[in-house]
Amino acid sequence: MVKTVFTDELNKTYELYEKKFGKTSLQNTEPLVDPLNPNPEAERLAIQRLKQAISSGVPLPRNVPPEGIIY
């Protein structure tokens, strides 16, 4: 895994988010970063979005998968 300057902070912020909203709270949300193409700017923006959600108490929106699709 390639690390950027924000990777550790992003992982800590993910943990804080899950602690506040629940362990499965990030399931079915829009991906915040591309794990195959690390990008420091994308990670910085993801950290901001997660921290905003934590401080406001409003979780990120969840996408509802279409019915009839089996994963």
Side-chain angles (χ1 to χ4, degrees):
M1 178 174 111
V2 178
K3 290 179 83 171
T4 71
V5 294
F6 294 110
T7 302
D8 290 334
E9 184 179 357
L10 179 61
N11 289 332
K12 289 176 188 171
T13 309
Y14 276 137
E15 289 175 11
L16 291 172
Y17 183 91
E18 288 180 336
K19 185 175 180 181
K20 172 121 180 142
F21 296 112
K23 197 70 169 159
T24 61
S25 57
L26 286 168
Q27 289 181 355
N28 297 327
T29 59
E30 180 181 322
L32 297 172
V33 295
D34 180 354
L36 299 178
N37 298 303
N39 179 334
E41 182 63 16
E43 289 185 359
R44 186 186 65 76
L45 292 172
I47 291 166
Q48 286 180 339
R49 285 189 66 195
L50 290 167
K51 285 184 176 181
Q52 175 65 31
I54 292 167
S55 66
S56 70
V58 178
L60 297 174
R62 295 177 111 177
N63 300 328
V64 178
E67 286 191 35
I69 294 180
I70 300 172
Y71 293 94

